[in-house]
Amino acid sequence: MTDQPTPERRKKLYIETVGCQMNLLDSELVVAKMRNEGYELTDDLNQADAIFYNTCSVRQHAEDKIYSALGRIKRIKERKPEVTIGVLGCMAQKDQDTIFRRAPHVDIVVGPGQLAKVPELVEKARAESVHQIAVSRARTDGSIDSIAASFENYDADREPSMRPSPFQAFIRVMMGCDKFCTYCIVPSVRGPEQSRPPGVILAEARLLADQGVKEITLLGQTVNSYQHRQPDGRSSRLSDLLDQIHDIAGIERIKFITNFPNDMTDDLLQAVHDLPKVSRYIHVPAQSGCDQVLKRMKRMYTTAFYEEMLARTRATIPDVAVSSDFIVGFCGENEASFQRTVDLVERSRFKNSFIFKYSPREGTKADSLYPDDVPESVKKRRNKELLAAQTAICLEDHQKMIGRTVEVLVEGQSRSTARREGWHGISQMVGRTNCDRIVVFEANERLIGQFVQVRVEDASAVTLFGRVEIAERIATPA
Ligand code: SAM
Ligand code: SF4
């Protein structure tokens, strides 16, 4: 009997992602790179040869979560010193060496503009047993071009297993942000605003369509500020990108997040109206309903301007669903200013709002200029009150949809435990309407990735519940 070669054990990567869609996409690209190096994914920390945390620094809470996770895995490193531990993303760029001081068992620290170097740094950390760090330049550290170059991203290595589902994917159209809202850390950790060339974005969209992707979400911190100047002097805007991606066979739904109120131009609204594959859904954060607070936040618009933009949006796209973000308890926000925010939410009838308690971020203008003078208990109460105002609107608007038929892209099995009376709980599926409303219904799993017509029979503030009518596409925004 001849000796069989023992198959080499494939190295395993454990990765946890905190934060926004941009981070999910970054993790997809990192995993693709690591796969090229022979790694496969594991969700068992104890099996991993490399443990990565792709981090967020928008609020303190997100950072605290990572430092406690690092504390928990210290034992693994003590037991298996050969495991490589990496802190990637925004917190890596913000805290840099501090991470090694607070958690010396971390091996590599890599900012969001340096992720292409991850495999090389893993190898170096292993070979040299020395901390490895790769971060981009600070916003004041050199010329704008050199800073921007230090945040440049790498090729579109893609990894289908890291996507929300096999037929949904993100494409980054812009990097960084130049708005410098006073509360926000993003411009310093993600660098200067840079729009990627349209040709590169279209090539990525075609590649994704070839891989079976049907729904593409274009990502940018202020995605509607997208502007790329061509060598011939012409400019490409987000509306041009939507138009071109719309022509790609196989792509059936296109979304874009997040929008900045001042850059909601008529050509973009018209494109959303004219292009049936584009979701009639616009996420455009207001942040506050009080002009004094907006001024301190340096949002560069007033409530009146925001509401005019909203009216223009709804006049151009009558069925549009709009969602928003709000920060409660920002420096100097008193009861009267908070009430103005509640009033704005009640007037605007958003599809939903993401509500956050202000979290001071070191290095931001607000942190150095204004005291964090709203007590935590008040922030909590305002958060609850604003959420209650928004929830009442969601419920009212959802109940009006009972009896209507909506078109849904089936995303997968519902994780929700919510059960309606008379349902037997077999294969509860979840999907979203063209306006990004969540719908739960019973259906066969083979419908995942398909468009179905669902008749709405019941509703909560978050979810519509319904019954599948026919499994074929008609265009009715909902
Ligand atoms: N670029 C997007 C925009 O301008 O709308 C959003 C970026 S940020 C990652 C997402 C949301 O986090 C913001 O819209 C804001 O509501 C919230 N946020 C940002 N900084 C914050 C802070 N220091 N404290 C609490 N919430 C914050
Ligand atoms: Fe942050 Fe404002 Fe830029 Fe959004 S627009 S990423 S909130 S600085």
Side-chain angles (χ1 to χ4, degrees):
M1 202 175 136
T2 52
D3 276 350
Q4 294 290 322
T6 21
E8 206 181 306
R9 178 186 165 274
R10 288 192 69 185
K11 286 177 283 181
K12 293 196 177 355
L13 166 67
Y14 173 95
I15 184 162
E16 219 174 289
T17 309
V18 183
C20 62
Q21 287 91 344
M22 209 54 108
N23 274 11
L24 292 175
L25 176 55
D26 282 342
S27 289
E28 178 179 335
L29 305 181
V30 167
V31 170
K33 284 263 169 223
M34 294 296 282
R35 246 192 228 286
N36 293 343
E37 304 297 313
Y39 281 81
E40 63 183 15
L41 283 173
T42 176
D43 44 22
D44 181 355
L45 272 169
N46 292 304
Q47 293 286 318
D49 301 282
I51 300 174
F52 291 170
Y53 293 97
N54 191 7
T55 61
C56 169
S57 51
V58 169
R59 284 169 288 278
Q60 186 61 42
H61 176 64
E63 296 190 356
D64 294 344
K65 256 169 82 171
I66 296 299
Y67 280 115
S68 16
L70 290 173
R72 283 195 302 274
I73 61 165
K74 203 169 160 196
R75 284 237 188 89
I76 299 182
K77 183 75 177 176
E78 281 163 5
R79 211 165 9 92
K80 282 167 59 182
E82 68 280 10
V83 172
T84 308
I85 298 177
V87 174
L88 321 179
C90 296
M91 205 180 104
Q93 180 66 34
K94 176 176 159 283
D95 284 2
Q96 306 195 359
D97 289 321
T98 308
I99 296 174
F100 294 133
R101 275 201 295 280
R102 287 185 63 175
H105 54 295
V106 169
D107 300 288
I108 65 168
V109 165
V110 191
Q114 302 284 321
L115 295 174
K117 295 190 183 139
V118 166
E120 169 194 330
L121 294 171
V122 168
E123 278 321 302
K124 265 185 117 177
R126 284 223 173 109
E128 298 168 18
S129 295
V130 179
H131 287 153
Q132 302 293 326
I133 182 163
V135 288
S136 302
R137 289 175 172 221
R139 294 285 311 234
T140 48
D141 182 16
S143 71
I144 182 82
D145 286 345
S146 65
I147 299 166
S150 78
F151 278 94
E152 226 149 59
N153 243 289
Y154 48 91
D155 296 330
D157 278 323
R158 305 296 308 224
E159 170 56 39
S161 70
M162 291 294 286
R163 296 186 190 142
S165 79
F167 54 90
Q168 294 173 297
F170 301 118
I171 296 183
R172 190 192 323 267
V173 300
M174 292 176 78
M175 296 172 280
C177 181
D178 283 347
K179 301 286 193 227
F180 287 100
C181 303
T182 55
Y183 51 80
C184 187
I185 195 73
V186 170
S188 35
V189 292
R190 289 240 170 222
E193 181 180 304
Q194 303 183 66
S195 294
R196 295 176 74 208
V200 174
I201 294 166
L202 290 172
E204 215 171 313
R206 285 192 203 99
L207 175 93
L208 291 168
D210 289 345
Q211 293 177 350
V213 167
K214 291 185 177 183
E215 180 187 284
I216 278 180
T217 303
L218 305 179
L219 298 181
Q221 295 299 340
T222 56
V223 68
N224 58 339
S225 320
Y226 177 86
Q227 192 166 40
H228 190 270
R229 220 168 279 285
Q230 310 279 30
D232 63 7
R234 279 182 311 141
S235 252
S236 214
R237 299 161 301 178
L238 182 61
S239 55
D240 301 313
L241 279 184
L242 292 175
D243 201 40
Q244 287 163 307
I245 295 174
H246 198 268
D247 284 343
I248 298 176
I251 300 301
E252 301 199 40
R253 194 177 264 181
I254 311 163
K255 298 180 182 175
F256 53 96
I257 47 174
T258 293
N259 295 280
F260 195 72
N262 293 11
D263 296 332
M264 198 60 81
T265 51
D266 289 339
D267 61 292
L268 175 60
L269 297 176
Q270 201 56 48
V272 178
H273 172 269
D274 293 345
L275 301 169
K277 291 181 182 176
V278 177
S279 269
R280 282 159 143 68
Y281 163 62
I282 291 188
H283 180 218
V284 54
Q287 309 295 1
S288 169
C290 170
D291 288 347
Q292 282 84 29
V293 173
L294 287 173
K295 200 165 177 194
R296 273 197 298 277
M297 288 177 164
K298 196 176 146 291
R299 285 292 288 186
M300 300 181 283
Y301 54 82
T302 59
T303 313
F305 177 91
Y306 184 88
E307 292 194 88
E308 181 277 325
M309 178 278 306
L310 207 55
R312 205 159 37 85
T313 302
R314 287 181 167 146
T316 313
I317 319 159
D319 298 309
V320 73
V322 179
S323 65
S324 182
D325 290 358
F326 287 96
I327 296 177
V328 294
F330 184 63
C331 319
E333 184 192 72
N334 57 27
E335 289 305 324
S337 35
F338 171 65
Q339 192 52 47
R340 286 187 196 104
T341 301
V342 177
D343 295 345
L344 177 68
V345 164
E346 286 177 342
R347 285 196 302 274
S348 307
R349 301 200 72 85
F350 296 112
K351 175 184 84 73
N352 66 295
S353 290
F354 300 95
I355 301 165
F356 308 103
K357 289 177 290 166
Y358 172 58
S359 169
R361 306 284 59 215
E362 202 188 328
T364 59
K365 273 263 157 46
D367 190 49
S368 57
L369 290 179
Y370 313 120
D372 175 23
D373 55 0
V374 179
E376 183 60 24
S377 58
V378 176
K379 287 181 185 171
K380 268 195 187 142
R381 172 178 54 77
R382 290 183 188 163
N383 192 337
K384 246 173 103 178
E385 274 182 40
L386 194 58
L387 192 61
Q390 177 63 61
T391 304
I393 292 162
C394 295
L395 186 60
E396 248 180 67
D397 286 353
H398 273 181
Q399 279 174 340
K400 285 186 204 144
M401 295 183 72
I402 295 176
R404 283 177 59 185
T405 297
V406 295
E407 186 183 65
V408 176
L409 177 57
V410 186
E411 293 184 357
Q413 280 199 327
S414 161
R415 260 174 288 170
S416 143
T417 48
R419 300 250 190 253
R420 301 283 105 180
E421 228 172 277
W423 285 39
H424 306 295
I426 47 149
S427 282
Q428 272 199 3
M429 308 300 275
V430 66
R432 278 176 198 255
T433 68
N434 184 286
C435 290
D436 203 53
R437 295 182 198 279
I438 299 167
V439 188
V440 168
F441 48 93
E442 286 184 331
N444 195 305
E445 275 179 34
R446 72 184 154 75
L447 289 178
I448 293 176
Q450 307 284 320
F451 286 90
V452 295
Q453 304 299 316
V454 177
R455 192 177 160 78
V456 180
E457 297 184 332
D458 201 353
S460 73
V462 183
T463 312
L464 300 171
F465 299 90
R467 196 176 294 276
V468 176
E469 290 201 321
I470 40 165
E472 97 195 16
R473 179 163 203 180
I474 57 164
T476 43

